[in-house]
Amino acid sequence: MWAAWYAFMQNDVLATGILSFVMHEVVYFGRSLPWIIIGRIPYFQQYKIQNQKVPTAQEQWKCAKLVLLSHFTVELPQIWLFHPMCLYFGLDTGVPFPSLLTMALQIAVFFVIEDAGHYWLHRALHWGPLYKNIHKIHHQYSAPFGLAAEYASPIEVMLLGIPTVGTPILWCAITGNLHILTMYTWIVLRLFQAIDAHSGYEFPWSLHHFLPVWAGAQHHDVHHEKFIGNYSSSFRWWDKLMDTEAGLEAQKRRRERRMVKEGKKVQ
């Protein structure tokens, strides 16, 4: 079926472009839909992080329209350019597919590298002029929701897209070993991560309860509420290492460290 699609299109760039864009739209809005439904079910309000702020249908529709515009005007050209760039570096689009182990290892590396790039770019976007002129749009919603994951200015979409798309391209350039199926799986998982981080819901079964270094919705929700700190995308270690964690617990730890430090000075 995979080979048949490329044979039918008779143009690899066109085949990959259409497949990539359709996949992106289906996954983005398909993954956002459950969160919209959850927001209309009273039972789940107990898990809403900022339960006093529930997005209205009008807010979600406004958000969806801007996101769609961004997808067609900003992300579509990037998606179209991805294939020729990767082909230049040796991207494989044929069969057989890579093993699950190979895909898992490569995607794990992508998550770690993307998280580092996202942290520093996102932190830079909170610098005065950049925040005012670029990043402020994304912070229009102090209580985020799934659809708002890519609600941002075109410049921000391009900037924060660099670690997501640039990481596998760099991997392909260095190793010459990357299949487009691995790339698609990575993009799907990255979209899931971004949308879930903006969902606004914290469940007892949320991933970070089992994988403490995972950021998750609670980590990013505090970022939107406080407008500062918690800059990482997938993991918590950069915020911890750089002392940019946000929230009451982080403030308490800073106070305790300061008191210890001041106590040593007195002695």
Side-chain angles (χ1 to χ4, degrees):
M1 188 174 177
W2 181 276
W5 167 250
Y6 279 88
F8 171 75
M9 293 301 297
Q10 296 184 342
N11 184 316
D12 286 357
V13 174
L14 190 62
T16 301
I18 293 173
L19 191 62
S20 300
F21 187 69
V22 170
M23 180 205 71
H24 181 276
E25 298 310 287
V26 169
V27 172
Y28 188 86
F29 290 100
R31 183 55 184 165
S32 298
L33 183 59
W35 294 116
I36 295 173
I37 295 170
I38 285 173
R40 297 293 175 264
I41 301 175
Y43 171 79
F44 290 107
Q45 282 305 107
Q46 62 183 307
Y47 301 116
K48 185 82 167 66
I49 300 169
Q50 297 185 58
N51 56 19
Q52 77 282 8
K53 298 177 182 178
V54 179
T56 64
Q58 184 179 4
E59 286 177 322
Q60 300 216 38
W61 174 236
K62 177 188 174 184
C63 176
K65 286 190 292 184
L66 188 139
V67 167
L68 269 173
L69 179 64
S70 175
H71 285 180
F72 277 94
T73 59
V74 180
E75 296 192 25
L76 181 58
Q78 291 177 319
I79 289 172
W80 223 264
L81 288 170
F82 169 76
H83 184 96
M85 286 181 66
C86 274
L87 277 184
Y88 177 79
F89 293 118
L91 176 75
D92 186 5
T93 60
V95 289
F97 294 145
S99 68
L100 289 176
L101 179 61
T102 297
M103 291 175 64
L105 289 173
Q106 290 179 350
I107 290 169
V109 172
F110 296 167
F111 263 112
V112 172
I113 297 175
E114 187 282 331
D115 183 68
H118 185 99
Y119 174 87
W120 289 106
L121 284 171
H122 187 190
R123 186 172 176 178
L125 286 173
H126 275 262
W127 174 62
L130 293 182
Y131 180 84
K132 181 180 178 181
N133 296 297
I134 300 174
H135 192 49
K136 188 176 180 179
I137 294 174
H138 184 67
H139 276 275
Q140 181 176 328
Y141 302 107
S142 59
F145 49 93
L147 272 174
E150 293 184 353
Y151 183 86
S153 75
I155 297 174
E156 179 174 343
V157 171
M158 288 189 286
L159 280 175
L160 294 184
I162 292 171
T164 299
V165 180
T167 297
I169 291 176
L170 181 63
W171 176 272
C172 189
I174 293 172
T175 68
N177 177 24
L178 180 65
H179 196 282
I180 196 167
L181 181 62
T182 306
M183 177 65 182
Y184 282 162
T185 306
W186 153 243
I187 293 297
V188 168
L189 292 175
R190 178 71 178 93
L191 283 171
F192 268 56
Q193 180 276 322
I195 293 164
D196 289 0
H198 286 83
S199 68
Y201 287 87
E202 169 73 9
F203 299 109
W205 55 86
S206 293
L207 181 58
H208 81 89
H209 292 299
F210 308 96
L211 185 65
V213 296
W214 188 253
Q218 187 274 338
H219 182 268
H220 196 66
D221 207 277
V222 172
H223 171 78
H224 274 262
E225 183 183 13
K226 305 298 183 184
F227 295 95
I228 194 167
N230 288 7
Y231 301 115
S232 296
S233 56
S234 299
F235 304 105
R236 297 175 181 241
W237 49 55
W238 277 105
D239 282 298
K240 193 171 186 63
L241 180 65
M242 304 307 298
D243 196 25
T244 53
E245 292 178 292
L248 295 176
E249 290 185 9
Q251 291 174 4
K252 181 181 177 182
R253 286 194 294 271
R254 288 192 189 96
R255 281 197 303 270
E256 289 174 349
R257 287 200 302 270
R258 189 163 57 247
M259 288 172 66
V260 170
K261 190 175 180 179
E262 289 173 355
K264 288 181 178 179
K265 285 182 178 180
V266 171
Q267 292 176 358

